[in-house]
Amino acid sequence: MDTTPPDLAAWIGRSETLHDTLTEAPVRALSATLDHPAPALATGTPLPPLWHWLYFLPMHRHSEIGADGHAKRGGFLPPVPLPRRMWAGSQFEFRAPLRVGDAVERRSTIADVGSKTGRTGPLVFVKVRHELRRHGADEPAIVEFHDIVYRDAKKPGDVEPPPQRAETGAPWQRALLPDDVLLFRYSALTFNGHRIHYDRKYVTEVEGYPGLIVHGPLIATLLMDLLRREAPEAEVASFRFKAVRPTFDGRPMRVNGAREGRHVRLWAQDHDGWLTMDATATLR
């Protein structure tokens, strides 16, 4: 049953429009962060899928930042009163490439706000639609839906959902060790102040997690990077991912993939072999 408070439901339809230019420096920085050789870049070089996250950064003034490192509630996003916020998943349509040097407009709209009660208490779900247009085009180059979930503070005795074992024997595999340097660099590149990714005292003592949390978008980027490494000529038409379980720093993880014609299954697992992210890409 949806019990969304009317004051939160009133945020549905709210929108904002931002503009940015796709410069070279963030592309070079993420390439280094993902351990790629320095790329040969020039105006017109296509951005890999998901690298648009390097732009339209959240430039909130320091006085506007809340206790968790995000902007205080009640700006563009609704003022959800629950303290823990996570990126639950996203869906994308890649209709045309974005290129280095492009002037791009991003129009964001609150598509939906909903709530329910889970096993650990109330949950609020916010879905945001982003449309990115290059050089004033009528049609968007990228359509993205961003799913955000808000949860109550962790309490003693909370029962987490049972973990799901990740599939083994994937044709594509890459082992990684997400350390605090990787998390810091990605936070810096995306101007992400969320303290769960870099403040160990906060994430363990306030939010109750056992370590720094690897960004969901970083794991999604690593999945797409695996596809790019294994099928460099492939063009991605759509992509969706769902965060299943948190991944923590300092422990080995693995990204996996299997191509089945135009469809690519992608998934990530933690050091215990539990599924942490499930994704699908469709190729042109």
Side-chain angles (χ1 to χ4, degrees), residues 4-247:
T4 307
D7 56 332
L8 297 185
W11 250 254
I12 297 173
R14 181 171 297 211
S15 65
E16 69 174 10
T17 301
L18 301 175
H19 297 84
D20 208 344
T21 300
L22 309 188
T23 55
E24 291 185 17
V27 178
R28 295 189 185 281
L30 185 55
S31 295
T33 300
L34 298 183
D35 209 25
H36 285 290
L41 294 178
T43 298
T45 301
L47 256 61
L50 304 186
W51 288 37
H52 66 283
W53 283 334
L54 298 173
Y55 305 94
F56 305 100
L57 304 184
M59 299 289 188
H60 304 287
R61 295 171 57 193
H62 192 70
S63 58
E64 298 170 343
I65 299 299
D68 63 355
H70 277 307
K72 294 176 183 177
R73 309 290 173 87
F76 168 63
L77 291 173
V80 178
L82 301 174
R84 291 200 288 173
R85 167 179 162 179
M86 300 295 290
W87 191 315
S90 288
Q91 308 88 45
F92 305 84
E93 295 177 16
F94 298 104
R95 300 181 181 181
L98 297 179
R99 301 178 182 275
V100 172
D102 281 352
V104 180
E105 173 190 280
R106 187 186 75 179
R107 182 172 178 82
S108 303
T109 305
I110 305 296
D112 194 24
V113 181
S115 64
K116 71 175 186 179
T117 300
R119 67 180 68 199
T120 59
L123 301 169
V124 173
F125 303 91
V126 177
K127 182 179 282 287
V128 184
R129 177 186 175 98
H130 302 291
E131 295 184 350
L132 283 75
R133 292 174 170 81
R134 53 191 302 266
H135 301 301
D138 292 333
E139 293 298 318
I142 296 176
V143 176
E144 171 186 358
F145 287 95
H146 173 191
D147 297 320
I148 306 168
V149 61
Y150 296 85
R151 302 174 62 187
D152 206 348
K154 191 171 184 178
K155 300 181 292 295
D158 279 353
V159 179
E160 297 295 331
Q164 178 181 346
R165 183 65 63 182
E167 181 180 336
T168 59
W172 301 349
Q173 298 184 26
R174 184 180 178 215
L176 299 149
L177 182 64
D179 58 17
D180 45 6
V181 175
L182 174 64
L183 272 60
F184 166 78
R185 295 179 84 180
Y186 190 77
S187 287
L189 280 170
T190 55
F191 209 55
N192 184 347
H194 199 184
R195 294 169 66 181
I196 63 173
H197 304 304
Y198 62 86
D199 187 335
R200 196 172 304 276
K201 182 178 176 67
Y202 171 84
V203 75
T204 57
E205 296 184 9
V206 177
E207 298 219 8
Y209 292 105
L212 299 176
I213 297 177
V214 182
H215 315 64
L218 174 56
I219 298 174
T221 298
L222 290 168
L223 290 174
M224 291 297 286
D225 187 62
L226 177 69
L227 189 159
R228 184 178 169 216
R229 290 170 186 266
E230 298 289 343
E233 303 305 317
E235 294 185 16
V236 179
S238 65
F239 178 64
R240 61 176 53 237
F241 72 87
K242 179 182 179 181
V244 177
R245 183 178 177 86
T247 300

